[in-house]
Amino acid sequence: MKFLRRFDGLLFAAMLALVAVGTVTIYSAGHARAAAFFHGVWRSNLATAGFGLVLYFALAAFDYRKYLDFLSVPAYALSLVCLVAVLLVGEEVYGGKRWLWFFQPSEISKLGVITLLASLLGGRWFAWLDGFRGFLLTGALIGVPALLILAEPDLGTTLTLVPATVVILFVAGVWRKGLVTLLAVGGLAAVAVLGAVYEAEKPGVLPERRAQILRYVPLKPHQVKRVRVFLFPEEDLRGAGWNLRQAKLSIGSGGYAGKGIGKGELNHLKYLPPSISMNDFIFCVYAEETGFVGSVVLLTLFGLLLVSGCRVAAVATDERGRLLALGFSTLVFAHVYVNIAMSIGLVPITGLPLPFVSSGRTFLLTVMCGLGLIQSVSLHRE
Amino acid sequence: MKWDESILRVASCWALAAIFAVGLLRLGVKLREFQVEDAADYRGAASRQSARRVRVPGLRGRILDRRGETLAESRLAACLVCDPAQFQRRRYEQTCAAIGDAARALGQALGRETVPSSNTVARHIHQLRAMPLVVWRGLDERELAVFAEHEADFPGFAVEEEEVRAYPCGPLAAQLLGYVGRDSGAGAAADGEKFHFYLPELRGRAGLETYYDSYLRGVPGERELTVDANSYTIRARAVEEPQRGLDLRLALDVRLQRVAEAQLAGLAGACVALDPRTGDVLAFASAPGYDPNDFVPRLDPARYRRLADDPAKPLLNRASGGAYAPGSTFKPLTALAGLSVGYPPGATYPCDGVYARSGLRLRCASRWGHGELDLRHALMKSCNPYFCNLATEIGTNALLRTARAFGLGAKTGLDLGVDMAGVVPDADWKARQYHERWFFGDLVQMSIGQGMLLVSPLQMARVAGALGTGYLVTPRLRADAPTERQKLPFREADLRVVREGMRMVVAGDGVSRGTGWRGGLDVPVPVSGKTGTAEVGAGARRRKNTWFVAYAPSDAPRIAVAMVVENGESGGGTAAPKVAAVLKRFFADEAEGGASS
């Protein structure tokens, strides 16, 4: 009974509520599409969530301290194999090789990377991994899957690994000085890239000059386009700027109370392109239909979930457990923040799903497994 | 060290929680800006991008005769339309193909073989996909029944109503009423206009339909379509209902018009009947004619070509647009011109059957001559030499002044696009037109209504009425147009002499008949008039246009008529009895109800 009292009810309840919100929103987004297939996506999403619950409880029930080391290495190795396989035999969708049969290996790799880091840095090898050496080794461990994902190409997913990794390394105490310096350098580099794209894309720049500047920018043309839309959101509204424009119109026109579930105009009239309305831009569908009230509810649910995750980390008696909880919480936060922020133009558009709400079975299972591990950390402490 | 480290680790967990909270709060603040502060702007922009405003024309008003009988009206005809949104495919070629296939299948069920060409469909989907595509027009009862039965099998098709113009009296007064046409298909409105789409309305293409187009035209309404991102219409709502146009009440009397047209049946010519007191146009016939219903639902180019190329010119409105030499019907004006400059009405002239002077020879209608005639008898017998002589006595100017005082050579002011001014030739005109000077012969020819003088039947009806009343009225087709009339600048005594002569044309002088005696046949009131036989062309193509102009009753005219029959025998023989028939009908109706005055 004492064991069950350590079950984090808030973490679980927030997750269930988010699954419910996601199912309803996927239902609404799916019904805006003509093909009958999409009308049933909510059902398969719910079934996946059911399967995710089984995994969740399995991971939560067993003591992570016993299985983590055995789980993390195979998970990491498997995700590497899958990431290589997807580059070789993956199906190309929307200009990227992300799908291996029915799942996205890059999602599973998030699980592999975080569990491996937690078990390495929180475990008995930590003393050996301290300092710059540890930084180099962990950097290599993260770098391999990150580069493989980058090759798909999927810059967004690669970048979501960054905050989780940084948080784990920082809290574990691996070469903090260097880490902070590196972050600062990374930030400066990002600002430099933004500035360069601004200089190249601002009105009145000659094509030759633009090409000259962009030669030194390490971004692909479609990424440059996204940064340009971020910098100049009012330009090219019928072309590259269309998605962001429609996303903003959807969210803004939702107003205070929303238009009602299933009554999102821009969603149903396909102004919000159906190809993205169920995935990366599903927040727009939700925000249009439920309004500011719905937005606050969703942010609150995520807030409860994340704070619960952090609380589990804070009270954890085991270093691996702490790192696990912080790593997965950060992963979820990064997705939530980037996804919503890109819909309202706070960050450039990146193809990141909104946890629980976007339809996407692999990611849903990944996140539920991660939360199951957090729950396990909460349950197994003394 | 160890202790510090563990504190730091716990603290960093809560610090991270705080960072998460701040991040989510940041999103919440931004979302508040979007969804609360600027919500109205976004909502406006969102509805603007999906709203399409359509201008919907109103039904056209009717054209009625003076008793309210319908001459032209708009009816609703069923047409079958296709809603492109129901056939929306990923690529627009596929959409077009889907529409084409569905239309062919439905066409088979309805027994319609032709479907809109793939070009038509493609153009519609390209430019007007928000609007329904009209597949077939003018569905009959059977087709409607078949469609109603199979409607469920053909989703995306619907019956809509479309305005068509109908002329219940068929060819009656065809050139007067005119016809309508529609600008081809629905159009996309130009930039900067209030509407995105523009449904064309029926527009007058000829006759009264053109002249009173803005009067008859309906008041357009507005429909708002909500279109999806691909510009297909998802739903529509009426913002403002269109309104029917005004009804045009004519002064025309359908019963009189029928008689006038019956008199011209199979002939070429025209007949105009006026109320000389008000200018009301009571009959306005032009033959040959056509049936304006043939131009419904749309003007068939081949049929139009046939009418336009017909040598009998059925499209020409001869009543106000036909240019004829007035012939002897001009003689009352010659007489009045003489009297106005003091030519004595009692003065006689010996007619020997030919007028010869200065190398000019003009024959009289009476081969052996009329003998001694005064002015009244000269009118009664329509004696050419008398009026030739009179004209030489008074000169050209008096003649021109009189002709112009009666509105010849000028537009009548009729409320119709076709209002020919005609020609009253003078020295300047001749010099401009033919680079020749004014000869003595021109004056003599003009005095008997020949030569270069050209008038329309409408002008001559007006002249006849003016002679009877002393006032020149502006003819009006629309019943409630204001009456305009001008007093003639002639002495009443002079007019009385001419009227006596015109009365004798019909009634005779007690000894012999006048040339227009048939003009009074069976008419219950005294009729005054003047015959005319104008020779046109020369040699083998020589023919005679025969005239009769009249007013009745002689002492206080209530009707004035001018009739011209091309290729007739003589004014008295051909035109006069036809005028009598019109007059007879007029006075019979008047006695019956008095409704026409």
Side-chain angles (χ1 to χ4, degrees):
Chain A
M1 257 16 268
K2 209 174 170 193
F3 174 73
L4 282 183
R5 216 175 297 142
R6 287 199 292 265
F7 184 78
D8 196 321
L10 192 58
L11 187 71
F12 182 68
M15 184 185 78
L16 284 190
L18 284 166
V19 167
V21 166
T23 305
V24 169
T25 312
I26 290 168
Y27 175 89
S28 188
H31 276 73
R33 303 188 66 164
F37 167 76
F38 295 103
H39 298 184
V41 169
W42 68 274
R43 233 180 270 122
S44 68
N45 197 74
L46 204 58
T48 307
F51 179 57
L53 272 183
V54 174
L55 291 178
Y56 179 89
F57 282 120
L59 288 171
F62 292 104
D63 189 348
Y64 71 97
R65 288 169 293 194
K66 290 188 185 113
Y67 67 69
L68 188 64
D69 290 348
F70 300 101
L71 179 85
S72 61
V73 176
Y76 179 80
L78 184 72
S79 56
L80 281 192
V81 169
C82 292
L83 282 174
V84 172
V86 80
L87 288 178
L88 296 177
V89 298
E91 231 180 297
E92 188 151 335
V93 179
Y94 297 127
K97 282 187 176 177
R98 297 175 190 175
W99 286 88
L100 193 61
W101 303 302
F102 53 91
F103 71 99
Q104 291 183 294
S106 58
E107 303 298 346
I108 296 189
S109 70
K110 294 171 185 170
L111 207 61
V113 166
I114 291 172
T115 51
L116 185 72
L117 282 182
S119 73
L120 276 183
L121 299 179
R124 50 199 132 115
W125 300 296
F126 178 69
W128 186 77
L129 284 168
D130 202 3
F132 184 64
R133 187 170 36 174
F135 180 79
L136 270 189
L137 188 71
T138 46
L141 284 175
I142 304 151
V144 173
L147 286 175
L148 286 171
I149 296 169
L150 206 55
E152 286 185 7
D154 192 347
L155 181 65
T157 304
T158 315
L159 288 177
T160 53
L161 283 174
V162 173
T165 312
V166 166
V167 164
I168 290 175
L169 293 184
F170 188 87
V171 175
V174 180
W175 198 49
R176 284 200 186 122
K177 248 181 256 167
L179 199 62
V180 170
T181 315
L182 215 60
L183 273 183
V185 170
L188 284 176
V191 169
V193 167
L194 277 184
V197 174
Y198 182 87
E199 279 303 312
E201 299 284 3
K202 70 181 178 187
V205 175
L206 295 172
E208 306 89 64
R209 171 113 182 101
R210 177 178 175 276
Q212 199 186 357
I213 298 173
L214 289 181
R215 209 177 303 143
Y216 298 102
V217 174
L219 292 177
K220 295 201 169 63
H222 80 274
Q223 293 165 333
V224 172
K225 209 189 269 179
R226 286 179 175 182
V227 175
R228 187 185 73 206
V229 170
F230 169 68
L231 292 170
F232 306 104
E234 299 303 318
E235 303 289 321
D236 196 16
L237 291 179
R238 294 235 142 239
W242 173 269
N243 288 1
L244 179 60
R245 169 72 177 164
Q246 298 305 330
K248 287 179 174 176
L249 287 180
S250 302
I251 295 168
S253 67
Y256 191 78
K259 297 175 186 174
I261 287 168
K263 291 178 186 153
E265 281 273 281
L266 283 92
N267 170 29
H268 282 274
L269 297 179
K270 301 185 180 67
Y271 286 92
L272 203 60
S275 58
I276 57 169
S277 67
M278 286 176 80
N279 305 305
D280 302 346
F281 281 87
I282 199 161
F283 177 72
C284 307
V285 176
Y286 175 78
E288 186 187 10
E289 298 189 348
T290 61
F292 184 61
V293 173
S295 302
V296 168
V297 167
L298 190 74
L299 292 178
T300 307
L301 287 176
F302 278 122
L304 291 174
L305 186 86
L306 293 171
V307 169
S308 299
C310 291
R311 193 173 61 96
V312 169
V315 300
T317 52
D318 176 86
E319 208 51 41
R320 288 178 296 174
R322 192 193 314 281
L323 295 182
L324 268 183
L326 289 182
F328 281 111
S329 298
T330 309
L331 185 75
V332 170
F333 173 76
H335 279 89
V336 171
Y337 186 83
V338 172
N339 180 280
I340 296 179
M342 78 175 188
S343 301
I344 51 181
L346 283 179
V347 300
I349 290 174
T350 36
L352 283 190
L354 184 61
F356 302 106
V357 186
S358 289
S359 83
R361 288 178 286 184
T362 324
F363 183 58
L364 181 60
L365 288 179
T366 304
V367 175
M368 288 184 85
C369 287
L371 293 182
L373 285 169
I374 297 179
Q375 196 63 262
S376 178
V377 173
S378 176
L379 284 168
H380 301 95
R381 61 169 196 255
E382 46 254 353
Chain B
M1 181 64 202
K2 183 78 188 140
W3 185 81
D4 285 347
E5 186 63 30
S6 67
I7 289 286
L8 183 67
R9 285 182 181 175
V10 172
S12 61
C13 292
W14 291 116
L16 199 62
I19 291 174
F20 293 167
V22 168
L24 295 178
L25 212 59
R26 168 89 186 93
L27 293 178
V29 168
K30 193 70 183 172
L31 284 169
R32 189 178 168 276
E33 195 178 294
F34 269 83
Q35 300 191 289
V36 179
E37 283 163 29
D38 300 339
D41 294 346
Y42 284 110
R43 203 169 297 150
S47 71
R48 263 197 307 284
Q49 76 171 357
S50 62
R52 299 286 182 274
R53 296 154 81 99
V54 184
R55 179 182 177 279
V56 184
L59 287 184
R60 202 174 169 82
R62 296 175 298 169
I63 302 179
L64 308 170
D65 95 325
R66 67 187 297 126
R67 290 192 188 77
E69 191 166 336
T70 306
L71 294 169
E73 65 183 342
S74 280
R75 294 176 185 164
L76 291 173
C79 57
L80 206 83
V81 299
C82 147
D83 173 13
Q86 308 273 336
F87 298 92
Q88 188 174 353
R89 302 287 186 275
R90 189 182 292 274
R91 290 153 55 84
Y92 101 96
E93 293 90 344
Q94 295 169 327
T95 305
C96 296
I99 291 175
D101 293 344
R104 267 186 293 280
L106 180 55
Q108 241 160 27
L110 293 182
R112 290 245 184 182
E113 278 170 16
T114 54
V115 296
S117 72
S118 54
N119 249 337
T120 309
V121 175
R123 203 180 322 117
H124 188 89
I125 297 304
H126 211 65
Q127 298 165 355
L128 298 165
R129 66 182 75 149
M131 308 283 285
L133 167 69
V134 177
V135 185
W136 294 294
R137 293 177 196 281
L139 265 65
D140 60 27
E141 293 293 323
R142 185 195 63 82
E143 288 168 323
L144 285 174
V146 171
F147 179 70
E149 198 180 322
H150 298 291
E151 199 167 354
D153 303 336
F154 297 100
F157 288 92
V159 173
E160 272 191 10
E161 283 173 328
E162 187 186 44
E163 179 184 15
V164 292
R165 200 68 169 158
Y167 300 92
C169 295
L172 191 83
Q175 299 96 337
L176 172 64
L177 297 174
Y179 49 89
V180 295
R182 198 192 287 278
D183 299 339
S184 59
D191 281 347
E193 280 183 23
K194 188 184 166 200
F195 300 100
H196 297 89
F197 297 109
Y198 186 100
L199 286 176
E201 46 216 344
L202 296 175
R203 280 175 183 279
R205 294 268 199 256
L208 286 168
E209 296 273 29
T210 298
Y211 191 88
Y212 282 109
D213 190 56
S214 56
Y215 184 89
L216 291 163
R217 203 188 288 174
V219 182
E222 185 186 333
R223 193 155 62 206
E224 191 183 277
L225 310 176
T226 304
V227 301
D228 68 11
N230 299 321
S231 298
Y232 288 96
T233 298
I234 300 305
R235 58 173 182 272
R237 73 184 174 93
V239 177
E240 204 180 331
E241 292 292 343
Q243 285 163 31
R244 196 181 249 280
L246 297 172
D247 288 342
L248 178 66
R249 173 73 72 117
L250 296 184
L252 199 79
D253 182 336
V254 161
R255 290 189 271 185
L256 212 58
Q257 178 76 15
R258 281 213 181 89
V259 175
E261 292 197 5
Q263 293 302 317
L264 289 167
L267 302 170
C271 175
V272 175
L274 293 175
D275 184 331
R277 299 162 297 176
T278 59
D280 280 0
V281 174
L282 302 172
F284 202 81
S286 174
Y290 60 92
D291 189 343
N293 289 308
D294 290 348
F295 295 172
V296 175
R298 51 195 54 231
L299 199 58
D300 174 22
R303 183 173 289 168
Y304 182 79
R305 211 46 287 147
R306 215 157 42 242
L307 285 172
D309 292 345
D310 188 336
K313 294 191 164 61
L315 292 174
L316 172 67
N317 187 345
R318 289 169 160 82
S320 56
Y324 297 95
S328 300
T329 56
F330 187 74
K331 284 174 183 163
L333 301 191
T334 309
L336 192 60
L339 294 169
S340 70
V341 295
Y343 191 86
T348 60
Y349 178 82
C351 170
D352 57 4
V354 65
Y355 179 78
R357 190 169 156 186
S358 308
L360 186 83
R361 280 180 66 85
L362 254 169
R363 297 187 53 144
C364 188
S366 165
R367 179 169 244 191
W368 310 114
H370 292 113
E372 289 273 325
L373 298 139
D374 67 357
L375 193 142
R376 294 181 183 82
H377 283 85
L379 280 173
M380 177 180 121
K381 295 288 183 194
S382 197
C383 177
N384 282 345
Y386 182 95
F387 288 100
C388 294
N389 178 60
L390 189 154
T392 60
E393 300 272 317
I394 62 171
T396 308
N397 284 343
L399 211 51
L400 292 176
R401 203 163 51 237
T402 309
R404 289 184 180 136
F406 279 85
L408 300 184
K411 290 183 179 295
T412 61
L414 181 73
D415 42 352
L416 190 70
V418 182
D419 184 12
M420 195 204 56
V423 176
V424 174
D426 57 17
D428 284 350
W429 184 87
K430 197 183 172 193
R432 259 185 284 124
Q433 210 71 18
Y434 296 106
H435 306 290
E436 272 183 25
R437 66 184 187 82
W438 187 255
F439 293 117
F440 166 73
D442 296 322
L443 167 64
V444 171
Q445 292 279 11
M446 184 160 69
S447 72
I448 56 169
Q450 297 271 138
M452 296 167 286
L453 198 61
L454 287 176
V455 298
S456 70
L458 173 68
Q459 284 176 324
M460 287 318 287
R462 199 172 168 226
V463 166
L467 286 167
T469 60
Y471 290 90
L472 186 70
V473 289
T474 301
R476 60 179 194 191
L477 287 161
R478 185 176 148 190
D480 49 3
T483 293
E484 282 173 43
R485 53 178 209 169
Q486 267 180 307
K487 188 157 173 38
L488 291 172
F490 297 101
R491 285 187 296 271
E492 189 59 30
D494 297 342
L495 280 167
R496 202 177 308 126
V497 172
V498 176
R499 284 174 196 150
E500 282 164 14
M502 288 177 75
R503 174 67 190 136
M504 283 157 65
V505 169
V506 179
D509 61 356
V511 179
S512 55
R513 283 171 165 167
T515 53
W517 64 275
R518 291 185 187 85
L521 276 178
D522 298 330
V523 182
V525 299
V527 177
S528 303
K530 182 70 194 80
T531 55
T533 308
E535 297 189 348
V536 289
R541 294 181 53 210
R542 204 174 100 123
R543 49 206 183 82
K544 291 185 279 188
N545 289 340
T546 56
W547 280 92
F548 191 68
V549 302
Y551 61 85
S554 296
D555 50 347
R558 298 197 288 274
I559 182 169
V561 185
M563 169 88 73
V564 64
V565 179
E566 296 176 18
N567 293 321
E569 278 301 312
S570 68
T574 312
K578 296 180 183 299
V579 171
V582 173
L583 292 175
K584 193 178 140 192
R585 178 68 202 220
F586 176 79
F587 288 107
D589 285 348
E590 206 184 50
E592 190 184 292
S596 66
S597 54

